[in-house]
Amino acid sequence: MAKLRKDFLWGGAVAAHQLEGGWQEGGKGVSVADVMTAGANGVDRRITDGVVAGENYPNHEAIDFYHRYKEDVQLFKELGLKCFRTSIAWTRIFPNGDEDEPNEAGLQFYDDLFDELHRNGIEPVITLSHFEMPYHLVTEYGGWRDRRVIDFFVKFATTVFKRYKGKVHYWMTFNEINNQADASSTFALFTNSGLLIKPGENAAAVMYQAAHYEVVASALAVQVGHQVDPANQIGAMIAMVPFYPASAKPEDVMKAERAMQSRYWFADVQCNGRYPAWLTNYQHAQGYDLDITLADLDVLQAGPVDYIGFSYYMSMAVQAQADEPASYAYRDANDIVANPHVARSDWGWQIDPVGLRYAMNWFTDRYRKPLFIVENGFGAIDQLTADHQVHDDYRVDYLRAHIEQFKLAVEVDGIDLIGYTPWGIIDLVSAGTGQMDKRYGVIYVDKNDAGTGTLARYKKDSYYWYQQVIATNGDDLTAVTPKES
Ligand code: BG6
């Protein structure tokens, strides 16, 4: 029976804007994350017109990793991490995005961070763009709706591939590039692509244009990354939320199939190097006037990714509506229905460990590329006890159930899995709500939604459990008794 690779990359995942803070340190520019206020469970974050005095922007300080990363890397080392997934804040390297020359202080920060990780035996796994494009590119170019942003991104990618040659081997281009797929979320359009939809604009058409430029930029980055260092492994990063049919009714099955196609055509393009026919037909039928050139299509063919990085938190179920159109296209929230067979988190995320194994089989059958689970985790309210402990057995239960399923995918189904980096290994700012109290970490950070706290770090029960999991290469998933407070 197949086993997890001996060099399996057990790790933890974060993103620059969600933990670094230091939003104006070292010449950093303003990013899209810097103009998003704090929301709450069920309350959307607001996008402000630039940074407005008096508003609460949780990413500005985050957990101050910018100043405290050495202390945090020691906690990661003791935990046994083999790799650490983070992103490079584009705005530290090109503060506005369209400069000719990069910002040396920003480049030096990541040199120092990557050196510190290597000194402690931890491999950096780097996302080029994780919800943090320069805000200047939004105000001056309209975000990814402008073809010139391809060149800015490729310049950024080329700069960091060259600078960190030999220090970084695993890369991903765009975090959860497919989050924007149904074009209905203001948040996703802004964080993924810097898009603010104008009155009268068709959001889907704008999204398809921006996403096209992104997949072209991704394919160009893959080519440059391989030229700079043939040892580079450059992946896609896909938000995997399997869509199940709500019933065995054929129309529901067709609806689920189209929902999967609609969310994962990004992976089709990034892995296969071409658009699927149904999508090209759909875009034509809708009358979208898209700037997709023959030269672009050649670029896509020439830049397939090496592996599929993906996040997995939940699954969803969809149903056809009575007046379902021939396209079966996603229309509104009524397409999505609750799945009575799975539980939900306090934020309504459906908990479905078997869905992870299903997703891994689905990816493998479709693309035949190695997989890397680069996000998975359980956002919950934690209680810090007076003696600084956190008894987060619910988090251990969630992670254990998912690890059990990916082990089955490897051992029974023969799937090639590079590693596993649970999300928010250290508590950080939630991307979706801007909260601190929606916690994912195995390391607690003393800061709350109000922005108060000492920023001290404490090991949760899940820290000791994950330490054992890593030490046994996933063989021992049983509970452990915390050894120290
Ligand atoms: C993924 C993102 O969507 O999910 C992360 O890549 C994000 O940036 C994570 O933080 C969890 O989502 P949230 O909204 O709970 O922070």
Side-chain angles (χ1 to χ4, degrees):
M1 191 161 69
K3 295 275 287 174
L4 293 183
R5 296 171 174 208
K6 284 225 158 38
D7 59 352
F8 189 78
L9 287 176
W10 294 100
V14 299
H17 66 105
Q18 289 173 259
L19 90 165
E20 284 178 5
W23 72 290
Q24 291 180 304
E25 300 269 350
K28 180 183 171 297
V30 175
S31 80
V32 293
D34 291 323
V35 299
M36 299 188 69
T37 64
N41 190 356
V43 181
D44 288 345
R45 304 182 73 172
R46 279 179 300 110
I47 300 163
T48 56
D49 187 11
V51 175
V52 177
E55 292 280 9
N56 175 12
Y57 298 107
N59 300 69
H60 286 188
E61 181 191 56
I63 63 162
D64 196 30
F65 183 78
Y66 186 81
H67 296 109
R68 295 165 192 249
Y69 70 86
K70 288 191 177 163
E71 176 196 335
D72 291 337
V73 169
Q74 286 312 305
L75 287 167
F76 301 156
K77 180 189 181 187
E78 188 185 333
L79 178 57
L81 294 195
K82 312 286 184 208
C83 75
F84 177 62
R85 173 183 176 229
T86 187
S87 56
I88 294 177
W90 188 346
T91 47
R92 290 203 190 281
I93 312 303
F94 289 97
N96 283 333
D98 60 357
E99 295 90 342
D100 290 332
E101 296 300 325
N103 170 36
E104 177 56 30
L107 287 165
Q108 190 61 49
F109 170 70
Y110 292 105
D111 261 322
D112 294 345
L113 172 61
F114 300 157
D115 288 346
E116 187 70 13
L117 289 167
H118 280 297
R119 262 195 295 278
N120 289 284
I122 302 170
E123 180 81 26
V125 174
I126 299 303
T127 318
L128 289 169
S129 179
H130 190 137
F131 303 169
E132 53 209 337
M133 80 182 296
Y135 184 60
H136 174 80
L137 296 183
V138 175
T139 54
E140 298 304 310
Y141 300 85
W144 276 95
R145 73 178 74 216
D146 190 313
R147 182 178 273 277
R148 287 172 293 178
V149 176
I150 298 176
D151 294 336
F152 301 143
F153 177 80
V154 173
K155 185 172 199 176
F156 161 58
T158 306
T159 303
V160 297
F161 284 141
K162 286 185 176 162
R163 177 77 173 220
Y164 307 121
K165 180 176 175 180
K167 289 188 188 182
V168 178
H169 305 101
Y170 286 96
W171 301 88
M172 281 166 277
T173 53
F174 292 95
N175 183 65
E176 294 190 335
I177 188 169
N178 60 322
N179 254 1
Q180 54 194 327
D182 66 24
S184 69
S185 157
T186 303
F187 170 81
L189 291 170
F190 187 65
T191 53
N192 274 83
S193 303
L195 298 177
L196 293 168
I197 303 302
K198 300 167 196 154
E201 264 189 331
N202 182 314
V206 177
M207 180 277 293
Y208 280 121
Q209 185 63 73
H212 172 70
Y213 292 148
E214 285 166 13
V215 288
V216 170
S218 173
L220 286 167
V222 170
Q223 291 174 60
V224 174
H226 287 156
Q227 281 157 16
V228 171
D229 186 351
N232 275 334
Q233 291 290 300
I234 307 170
M237 197 314 200
I238 303 292
M240 170 44 86
V241 179
F243 279 88
Y244 302 147
S247 76
K249 192 173 150 196
E251 287 79 6
D252 287 351
V253 175
M254 184 60 214
K255 184 81 196 180
E257 172 66 9
R258 182 49 42 88
M260 292 293 277
Q261 290 172 321
S262 304
R263 275 190 69 85
Y264 303 111
W265 67 262
F266 298 80
D268 292 348
V269 176
Q270 290 185 291
C271 294
N272 300 336
R274 58 180 181 276
Y275 275 91
W278 75 267
L279 179 58
T280 308
N281 288 348
Y282 177 71
Q283 290 171 338
H284 286 152
Q286 295 299 309
Y288 299 152
D289 182 21
L290 301 178
D291 170 31
I292 299 177
T293 67
L294 290 175
D296 291 344
L297 299 182
D298 287 344
V299 167
L300 295 179
Q301 284 246 297
V305 292
D306 299 312
Y307 68 94
I308 302 169
F310 69 100
S311 61
Y312 179 83
Y313 293 90
M314 62 186 141
S315 61
M316 288 192 185
V318 287
Q319 67 180 5
Q321 296 187 43
D323 60 343
E324 195 60 41
S327 67
Y328 277 86
Y330 176 83
R331 282 182 301 171
D332 57 45
N334 290 330
D335 288 355
I336 295 174
V337 293
N339 181 346
H341 305 289
V342 299
R344 289 164 164 259
S345 78
D346 290 344
W347 279 262
W349 292 22
Q350 300 196 135
I351 302 166
D352 175 15
V354 176
L356 173 57
R357 181 179 178 187
Y358 168 79
M360 292 170 74
N361 277 273
W362 188 90
F363 271 138
T364 300
D365 288 352
R366 206 169 169 99
Y367 305 119
R368 302 276 156 208
K369 304 244 182 209
L371 304 181
F372 197 159
I373 305 169
V374 295
E375 285 186 34
N376 171 236
F378 190 63
I381 304 276
D382 289 338
Q383 300 300 333
L384 184 69
T385 64
D387 57 350
H388 300 140
Q389 299 194 32
V390 178
H391 303 304
D392 56 343
D393 48 316
Y394 38 88
R395 182 167 294 107
V396 168
D397 289 346
Y398 179 99
L399 294 172
R400 180 193 292 118
H402 286 78
I403 293 173
E404 282 169 355
Q405 290 299 320
F406 79 61
K407 284 177 64 182
L408 288 171
V410 171
E411 294 172 1
V412 178
D413 307 333
I415 283 168
D416 186 6
L417 183 63
I418 298 169
Y420 175 67
T421 59
W423 175 252
I425 195 72
I426 181 166
D427 291 346
L428 37 59
V429 176
S430 158
T433 66
Q435 290 178 276
M436 269 306 300
D437 286 333
K438 185 183 187 190
R439 298 174 186 277
Y440 287 86
V442 302
I443 299 166
Y444 186 92
V445 177
D446 181 19
K447 185 173 178 184
N448 56 30
D449 281 356
T452 55
T454 62
L455 287 170
R457 278 65 164 152
Y458 302 108
K459 298 166 191 167
K460 303 182 191 177
D461 288 0
S462 54
Y463 180 96
Y464 300 100
W465 172 80
Y466 192 43
Q467 190 177 47
Q468 167 186 277
V469 171
I470 297 174
T472 61
N473 200 24
D475 283 342
D476 190 351
L477 303 180
T478 57
V480 291
T481 311
K483 298 175 194 73
E484 52 179 283
S485 63

